[in-house]
Structures are given as structure tokens and as C-alpha cells.
Amino acid sequence: MANVDFDVPAKGGFSFDLCRRNEMLMKKGLKPSSFLKTGTTIVGLVYKDGVILGADTRATEGPIVADKNCEKIHYMAPNIYCCGAGTAADTEAVTDNISSQLKLHRYHTGRESRVVTALTLLKSHLFSYQGHVSAALVLGGVDVTGPHLHTIYPHGSTDTLPFATMGSGSLAAMAVFESRYVEGMNRDDGVALVRDAIRSGIFNDLGSGSNVDICVITKGHKEYLRNYEMPNPRTFTSEKGYSFSKKTEILTAKVTPLRELVEVIEAGDAMEE
Amino acid sequence: MSESVQVTNNLTNPEASSQRTLYPYVTGTSVVAIKYKDGILMAADMGGSYGSTLRYKSVERMKSVGKHSVLGASGEISDFQEILRYLDELILHDNMWDDGNSLGPKEVHNYLTRLMYNRRNKFNPLWNSLVLGGVKNGQKYLGSVSMIGVHFEDNHVATGFGNHLARPILRDEWKEDLSFEEGVKLLEKCMRVLLYRDRSAVNKLQIAKLTEEGMTISQPYSLKTFWGYGAFQNPTVGAEGSW
């Protein structure tokens, strides 16, 4: 048999090499780093012309809000978007990975990506990591076969649903959906219902908060409405500005607007990688 | 010989034979209640689960207390029955005074709070989440007590899963002075969501109405459910062989 030049494909499944190293480090006293979770409300529903996805924008690290306005609706393909709940790094990485696989597939086939393709790629990936990749996703899009909405759980199981919610605020959002969803809604009613479900999550769940993001996908067209609604504005900043206590005698006052000190070169050299 | 050893053990270590409540056995699921124009409306299904089996399907989890209140309970059914006996005794002693006064919902709520909290301090809780509602002299009252003694009063309360599924709906849609029909519709909305999404819910519920005149509890009935969505009928459209 001639010497083969191609790479033998990897055996697949989770590689446990780093587990021994982690155990060794823990024995030496290293505390495991806390990870950024998206403790979240994400929803999706199918309406007359397509699919509407919604998400809140709070990312938590334990009890602290790490990011007040993060983006949880990820791009997969021009006609497919995916909301992610769970560990932020996992949702980001897995959606990016499958998004690039979809692009290569589009070049190879010359056709628009289908939602079931993204679904199968995601579920195979998550299953092979046996639930260690903590990503719970709501995948929605419109392709040649019609509108589709799926949920994907961290262990790799999927559901096909007319309406779906995931994340810590999923019960609050599901309560809104179960009581008000009907099939074949028009765009305005659908967006209003998604907005109300996310608001329910924002105001009734501690892991969700800040703003409402919405993405409307129809045949051949998509609308990414970042910060569609901002029901938690910052209202406590004082307009008076800084005032000194009464006993302080102001000798001179000079106000230097900082913007003028920094020169922004528009067409500067990009950083060398 | 072994018997005398056991007797000595019981005398020297009285805790050896007594047991503390570690987990519930026969449980009821959520109770949801709201204030409305004329008083209180409370809804609970009639299921008594034994772990993951639906063992009893005609358990009345709402009972009237005295002249002015109604008590709904979720959690261990035997502990609920025990609480009813305590309340019986309380109301009896109150009636024996024969002074024209009667315990109102606020007083009963306070009694239950003390009862639950003291049991919790002895590490032997009554494994229930209670909802106590009532009307006395035109004043509506609706309160809740948990098995560890957490208590509060509000315009709408729920226990168990009701907190996660029904409270968000009630926070959005409850308003002051609902009519009886509106109140029942709102409660049914909440109970329907619970029926869909709580595994221990049962489609046989009662609604209790409490006004100044007294308590009436409806006959058991069931809610209509809808399963006709396109995605349920044909989940693999466009992808034959998928799952």
C-alpha cells in the first residue's frame, strides 16, 4: 500500500487531555476562574411571513452584571440567526464556528443555507462535547423550505417548535407566549409579543435585564433591530454637574473639553498583525 | 436483653426515636390567588402527586377558615391537614369567647407565620407553601407563608411553579377592581400556562370565591387546551429523515 498523504481524521469526541492538568493545578491551590454566563431570556416565534427572534442584553458573572448591553442574537447566515444562552464564550464560539462552516458550505453548493443544516451542525458539535459546551440556543431562519424555529440544548437534543424560550427567564417569557400566541400572526403583533415576552423576562428574572434586541427574518430579507426597546434608562445622573461644597472658595475656573486634545487620524495605518 | 438496651437509649437520647421532616411524600402543586372587586379569588388544581406518580386526583387543596378566610396549600398534603386541625382549634377557642369578635385573615395569617417559622427553627418544618386570603369589614387581605416562615402580603400571590409562570402574567395584567368574570378569566389564563408547563399539574381545578358574605368553591372542571400548531403536526418539514 502506498504512503497516504492526507491527514487521518481526528477520532472525535471530547479530548480529556487538559482535565489532568486542571486537576493538578487545583491541587496546587489554583482557584478556578469564574466564567461569564449570559443568565438570559431568549425567545423565538414563527409568524405569518417568517421568524422573529428576541433577546435581552444582560451578561452576568455570578451576582454582578458584567455587560449591560451585550449582543445575544448571533449571525449564522444571511437568512439564519441564532440566540444563545449559557456560558457566553461557548455560545459565541459555537455560533461563529458553525457560521463559518455554513459559509464554506454555501461556496461549495452555490445555494442559500438551510436552517436544518445549521441545526445538524450545531447539534452534532454539542453532542460530541457531551454537554460540557454550555450553550442553549434558539435557532431561527427562513430558507427555500419555509420558516423554521428550533431549540438546541447543551447536550445536543433539539426541538422544532412554533414558539420557544430558553435561559433563566424562559419561564417568565413562556408564560407570555403560552397565553397569547396564535399561529399566523402579522409582523406587528409578532414583534409586540416577542417584546412583551422579553420584557417579562427582564422584569421578573434577576438574570436578565437592560434592553430588548429583536431580529425579524422573512424570505429574502432580515431586520436586525438592535436595542429595539430600552426600558431601563439611566435616570439618576444629575444635570447640575459638579458643585463644590458651600465653604469652598473658587479662585479660578477653567474648563478643558477633552475631545479636542485627542487627534483621531481617520486614514491611519492599520495595526500590523 | 436487647430491649432493655433500646429503652435506655430512648431515655438518654430522646432524639434517637423522633424523626424530622426530611422530604415531602404526597404533594400538591401551585396555588394562585388574586384580589378582585368583591374579595378574593383563589385557584388550585386537585392533584396529589406521590413522587412522579399522580396518585390522588380529587384532593381539595383550598379550605375555608372561620368566617372570613380561605386557606390554599401546596406541598405535603398531610402537613396541610395538620395545619387545618391547628386552625380548627384556633377558631374554636376564638368562638368560645363568644364576644362577637372573630379572627380575620390578617390574624390567621400571622398565626400561620408563627407556626411555620417556629417549626422551621426546630428543623422540623411543615412542608407547605400557604396562601391565605380573606375579607373582613370590607377590607380585602391576601398573604402568603412559605415553609421556612417567609411571609408577605400582596394583590396577587402564587406558590411553587406559580411564582415563575403565573406571577409574570399577573404583574402585567392584574388591575384594581377586577370584576368576577375578569378575575376568573385571568386565573384560568394562569392555570392554563401551569397546566402546559408544570409536570405535576392536573387538568381538574377548582376556583374559590371569597367575599364579605362567605366562601363558595366551584365544582371541579377542566380547561380547554390547544395542540394544533403546524410545527407539532409536522416537525420535519423540509428535512425528511431529520429528527
Side-chain angles (χ1 to χ4, degrees):
Chain A
M1 198 124 89
N3 270 344
V4 285
D5 225 18
F6 53 80
D7 288 314
V8 176
K11 283 219 192 88
F14 190 63
S15 163
F16 289 91
D17 298 339
L18 287 175
C19 292
R20 234 185 312 151
R21 166 250 194 198
N22 290 342
E23 267 172 54
M24 184 270 293
L25 283 172
M26 299 260 260
K27 268 201 212 68
K28 296 221 168 144
L30 174 77
K31 280 194 260 305
S33 55
S34 79
F35 42 82
L36 190 64
K37 291 204 75 169
T38 50
T40 287
T41 309
I42 49 174
V43 306
L45 60 75
V46 177
Y47 76 112
K48 187 163 52 105
D49 305 321
V51 164
I52 306 177
L53 300 174
D56 75 305
T57 60
R58 173 183 284 184
T60 52
E61 207 172 303
I64 301 169
V65 177
D67 189 347
K68 288 187 282 190
N69 206 189
C70 69
E71 281 187 28
K72 298 188 191 179
I73 306 186
H74 307 285
Y75 168 89
M76 299 287 279
N79 59 325
I80 307 174
Y81 274 75
C82 186
C83 308
T87 306
D90 286 341
T91 58
E92 199 61 56
V94 90
T95 48
D96 272 354
N97 191 338
I98 269 69
S99 173
S100 48
Q101 284 187 42
L102 282 176
K103 180 140 201 177
L104 289 172
H105 192 249
R106 278 201 294 284
Y107 283 136
H108 190 74
T109 58
R111 292 184 171 85
E112 191 185 58
S113 296
R114 298 193 187 190
V115 181
V116 285
T117 317
L119 181 70
T120 311
L121 289 170
L122 284 165
K123 70 153 71 176
S124 320
H125 182 96
L126 291 174
F127 180 72
S128 69
Y129 281 89
Q130 289 293 293
H132 290 287
V133 174
S134 177
L137 310 166
V138 171
L139 175 72
V142 181
D143 56 33
V144 284
T145 51
H148 298 274
L149 179 70
H150 303 279
T151 51
I152 310 166
Y153 289 83
H155 285 265
S157 64
T158 59
D159 289 309
T160 311
L161 298 166
F163 54 91
T165 67
M166 297 282 260
S168 55
S170 63
L171 278 82
M174 186 51 88
V176 173
F177 273 174
E178 281 283 19
S179 47
R180 284 163 45 186
Y181 179 79
V182 277
E183 273 198 305
M185 280 189 283
N186 62 29
R187 184 192 183 279
D188 292 332
D189 290 341
V191 167
L193 187 58
V194 165
R195 187 210 60 202
D196 284 343
I198 299 291
R199 279 179 70 107
S200 179
I202 287 176
F203 291 117
N204 291 301
D205 172 46
L206 297 175
S208 314
S210 302
N211 316 123
V212 181
D213 282 353
I214 294 201
C215 184
V216 183
I217 310 173
T218 55
K219 191 156 184 61
H221 180 65
K222 58 130 191 287
E223 265 181 86
Y224 185 58
L225 303 164
R226 169 74 171 148
N227 285 356
Y228 174 77
E229 195 181 70
M230 302 173 79
N232 292 302
R234 191 177 173 195
T235 49
F236 45 81
T237 41
S238 145
E239 306 97 19
K240 284 189 292 189
Y242 192 79
S243 59
F244 295 91
S245 62
K246 287 191 220 53
K247 297 232 179 75
T248 319
E249 201 190 306
I250 302 178
L251 300 175
T252 54
K254 179 177 168 209
V255 175
T256 315
L258 286 173
R259 241 161 282 182
E260 293 175 10
L261 287 178
V262 177
E263 242 184 84
V264 180
I265 311 165
E266 285 305 331
D269 291 337
M271 264 204 302
E272 300 281 323
E273 283 287 324
Chain B
M1 171 92 141
S2 52
E3 282 153 358
S4 58
V5 170
Q6 221 171 23
V7 164
T8 346
N9 274 345
N10 278 348
L11 287 174
T12 50
N13 185 7
E15 284 184 12
S17 52
S18 75
Q19 285 183 328
R20 289 153 175 187
T21 306
L22 297 168
Y23 24 72
Y25 285 93
V26 181
T27 54
T29 184
S30 349
V31 177
V32 188
I34 55 172
K35 282 188 193 165
Y36 81 111
K37 186 162 55 94
D38 305 325
I40 307 288
L41 280 171
M42 197 183 290
D45 68 25
M46 299 190 75
S49 313
Y50 185 63
S52 51
T53 322
L54 222 197
R55 179 73 180 83
Y56 302 104
K57 291 196 256 191
S58 297
V59 180
E60 273 202 33
R61 295 193 290 117
M62 296 183 294
K63 292 284 182 182
S64 71
V65 176
K67 285 205 293 256
H68 304 283
S69 324
V70 62
L71 174 70
S74 71
E76 174 63 58
I77 301 293
S78 60
D79 282 347
F80 173 52
Q81 291 167 344
E82 189 70 5
I83 290 172
L84 290 175
R85 292 188 60 164
Y86 283 131
L87 288 174
D88 252 349
E89 207 181 312
L90 180 77
I91 300 293
L92 182 72
H93 284 162
D94 184 46
N95 287 340
M96 288 201 301
W97 284 104
D98 203 15
D99 56 1
N101 274 331
S102 50
L103 287 172
K106 212 175 237 191
E107 289 85 54
V108 177
H109 186 226
N110 187 53
Y111 174 80
L112 288 170
T113 308
R114 295 295 100 224
L115 183 66
M116 304 297 269
Y117 184 66
N118 280 299
R119 289 288 298 254
R120 164 260 191 189
N121 283 343
K122 296 188 206 148
F123 281 93
N124 187 15
L126 289 158
W127 208 286
N128 293 108
S129 286
L130 306 168
V131 171
L132 197 295
V135 191
K136 187 174 175 197
N137 299 335
Q139 295 274 43
K140 301 181 279 235
Y141 185 88
L142 184 59
S144 163
V145 194
S146 80
M147 77 185 215
I148 51 174
V150 173
H151 63 283
F152 57 89
E153 193 233 319
D154 205 344
N155 293 321
H156 43 79
V157 293
T159 64
F161 251 100
N163 273 315
H164 296 106
L165 290 168
R167 282 318 282 287
I169 300 178
L170 293 171
R171 278 185 183 148
D172 262 349
E173 301 187 20
W174 183 89
K175 54 187 211 295
E176 203 70 60
D177 289 331
L178 289 162
S179 72
F180 176 70
E181 288 77 27
E182 288 175 330
V184 169
K185 209 156 155 239
L186 187 56
L187 277 182
E188 285 189 348
K189 200 180 207 186
C190 297
M191 295 305 282
R192 186 170 290 112
V193 180
L194 285 167
L195 177 64
Y196 283 134
R197 296 285 163 176
D198 178 5
R199 83 163 192 176
S200 27
V202 131
N203 197 1
K204 185 176 173 191
L205 66 136
Q206 292 178 305
I207 297 204
K209 175 173 85 146
L210 186 71
T211 57
E212 194 77 55
E213 284 82 54
M215 174 176 115
T216 52
I217 183 162
S218 71
Q219 283 301 311
Y221 68 102
S222 57
L223 296 167
K224 278 220 250 311
T225 55
F226 179 71
W227 299 91
Y229 297 117
F232 290 168
Q233 320 295 359
N234 196 3
T236 58
V237 66
E240 302 311 314
S242 161
W243 68 100

